[in-house]
């Protein structure tokens, strides 16, 4: 995907000085890998950086491990650069390290390869960016990430894994005998099952994971900073949760299980498709060995 930040001059020009309304403010990504993504700002401080323990994880070039912080308090919203290597910019101007800078509605914050805009949560512009994010990044039926967003997340995490020697794993999940669900209960029921499973996967995932609908009745989960052993443990937890989930549609209980293939990124792999192929082969073994199991 072409990086929209090759020339940020036009994006960083201006920025209003309007005060925030009493409603909760939010940061919205207007340029970067998750276009339209929002971060609601509640009382207190959140940290933005490359490391997984940050409140907002940006595994991008030019982003330091703990890059900057955004703090909301009674006096307003404040930005502080935390000694980042490449700096933090507000409306194009470099922010001095360890200095609090007040933010206003419309201000633009550049952090490495991403630009956020501060907006009121209930503003029409905020609603517009919500719609952009849903259209570009989310699957319409299940509201988890779509296949294109999964591909982008994999590319980002693989680059991060190579640069910092972090572990990385991928899960491919397939709903067992999903055709029978559609044949016996109808496609509307099948859609509801997919929605319930997607919600369960999102509920069990970590903030920095990417959970996506890979296609049809298949899902994928990217596990950043997780090796094969940890990924297998996580996959077993997901498999068991789905097996014991009470799925009822129109008063009818539907028994659903998952087969899961797990693969870990290795130095000899060259591209995301190589990792996907390994996970897909493991998924095939799980299906062939009797379903409702995890294979690696």
């Amino acid at each position: 995907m072409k990086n929209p930040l090759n020339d940020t001059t036009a994006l960083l020009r201006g920025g209003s000085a309007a005060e925030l309304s009493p409603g909760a403010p939010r940061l919205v990504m207007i340029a970067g890998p998750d276009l339209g993504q929002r971060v609601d700002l509640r009382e207190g401080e959140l940290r933005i950086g490359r490391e997984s323990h940050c409140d907002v994880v940006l595994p991008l070039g030019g982003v330091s491990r703990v890059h900057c912080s955004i703090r909301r308090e009674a006096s307003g919203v404040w930005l502080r650069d935390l000694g980042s290597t490449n700096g933090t910019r507000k409306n194009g101007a470099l922010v001095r390290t360890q200095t609090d800078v007040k933010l206003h509605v419309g201000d633009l914050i550049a952090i490495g390869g991403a630009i956020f805009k501060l907006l009121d949560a209930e503003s029409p512009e905020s609603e517009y960016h919500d719609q952009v994010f849903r259209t570009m990044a989310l699957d319409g039926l299940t509201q988890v990430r779509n296949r294109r967003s999964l591909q982008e997340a994999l590319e980002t995490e693989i680059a991060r894994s190579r640069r910092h020697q972090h572990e990385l794993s991928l899960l491919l999940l397939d709903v067992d005998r999903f055709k029978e669900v559609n044949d016996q209960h109808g496609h509307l029921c099948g859609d509801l099952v997919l929605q319930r499973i997607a919600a369960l996967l999102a509920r069990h995932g970590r903030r920095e994971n990417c959970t996506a609908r890979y296609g049809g009745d298949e899902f994928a989960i990217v596990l950043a900073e997780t090796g094969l052993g940890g990924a297998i443990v996580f996959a077993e937890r997901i498999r068991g949760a789905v097996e014991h989930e009470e799925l009822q549609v129109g008063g009818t209980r539907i028994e659903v299980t998952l087969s899961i293939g797990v693969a870990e990124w290795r130095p000899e792999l060259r591209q995301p498709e190589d990792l996907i192929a390994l996970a897909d082969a493991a998924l095939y073994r799980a299906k062939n060995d009797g379903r409702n199991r995890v294979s690696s």
Side-chain angles (χ1 to χ4, degrees):
M1 181 178 180
K2 185 179 179 181
N3 188 341
L5 302 177
N6 290 335
D7 183 0
T8 62
T9 304
L11 283 169
L12 292 175
R13 190 174 293 134
S16 72
E19 291 295 333
L20 287 164
S21 71
R26 65 177 43 161
L27 293 175
V28 176
M29 186 181 290
I30 64 169
D34 288 324
L35 192 65
Q37 182 184 23
R38 71 172 188 256
V39 181
D40 291 324
L41 300 178
R42 298 175 175 83
E43 293 288 342
E45 181 185 60
L46 64 81
R47 294 195 168 199
I48 303 173
R50 200 178 61 237
E51 290 300 313
S52 61
H53 60 76
C54 291
D55 301 291
V56 179
V57 179
L58 285 179
L60 304 173
V63 178
S64 295
R65 295 173 61 187
V66 183
H67 195 102
C68 65
S69 70
I70 306 286
R71 188 179 74 256
R72 182 190 173 196
E73 54 188 37
S75 61
V77 177
W78 300 86
L79 168 69
R80 171 178 285 208
D81 181 86
L82 298 175
S84 66
T85 302
N86 295 296
T88 306
R89 294 180 180 272
K90 171 191 169 184
N91 299 328
L94 196 63
V95 174
R96 289 179 59 189
T97 296
Q98 304 297 344
T99 301
D100 289 332
V101 176
K102 191 171 185 179
L103 297 177
H104 301 86
V105 172
D107 281 346
L108 302 171
I109 302 101
I111 305 167
I115 297 177
F116 292 90
K117 187 172 186 177
L118 183 65
L119 296 172
D120 276 317
E122 298 178 0
S123 69
E125 185 176 358
S126 182
E127 290 297 321
Y128 165 76
H129 286 295
D130 280 350
Q131 184 60 45
V132 169
F133 180 69
R134 286 193 295 267
T135 301
M136 294 189 62
L138 300 184
D139 174 66
L141 175 65
T142 62
Q143 293 300 293
V144 294
R145 299 299 186 95
N146 57 28
R147 187 164 180 161
R148 186 182 75 172
S149 185
L150 169 70
Q151 181 75 18
E152 293 173 356
L154 266 180
E155 291 172 355
T156 297
E157 290 299 339
I158 287 172
R160 184 169 173 246
S161 177
R162 283 171 168 159
R163 186 166 59 247
H164 303 289
Q165 287 76 54
H166 287 163
E167 296 175 313
L168 173 65
S169 296
L170 174 67
L171 274 57
L172 283 185
L173 312 91
D174 185 84
V175 182
D176 294 327
R177 297 185 173 90
F178 185 67
K179 184 178 183 300
E180 295 180 12
V181 173
N182 281 329
D183 291 344
Q184 294 176 15
H185 304 284
H187 288 276
L188 179 59
C189 176
D191 288 348
L192 292 173
V193 167
L194 293 178
Q195 290 172 336
R196 289 284 299 277
I197 290 176
L200 187 148
L201 297 180
R203 188 165 71 244
H204 281 264
R206 297 177 302 184
R207 181 179 61 250
E208 61 271 22
N209 294 344
C210 172
T211 300
R213 186 182 182 192
Y214 188 63
D217 59 342
E218 284 191 344
F219 294 88
I221 302 178
V222 181
L223 297 177
E225 298 186 25
T226 305
L228 186 62
I232 291 172
V233 170
F234 178 81
E236 284 287 1
R237 186 163 72 246
I238 290 291
R239 185 203 60 75
V242 170
E243 182 181 22
H244 295 100
E245 181 79 355
E246 289 288 336
L247 288 173
Q248 290 195 5
V249 179
T252 302
R253 187 178 187 278
I254 302 173
E255 294 186 1
V256 176
T257 60
L258 292 180
S259 294
I260 306 176
V262 183
E264 181 181 24
W265 177 258
R266 303 196 297 257
E268 64 267 24
L269 302 180
R270 299 174 58 87
Q271 55 191 355
E273 288 74 17
D274 297 335
L275 181 60
I276 292 172
L278 286 178
D280 191 53
L283 174 60
Y284 176 82
R285 289 193 294 273
K287 303 285 279 189
N288 195 51
D289 290 343
R291 300 183 176 88
N292 190 25
R293 65 190 62 222
V294 174
S295 181
S296 61

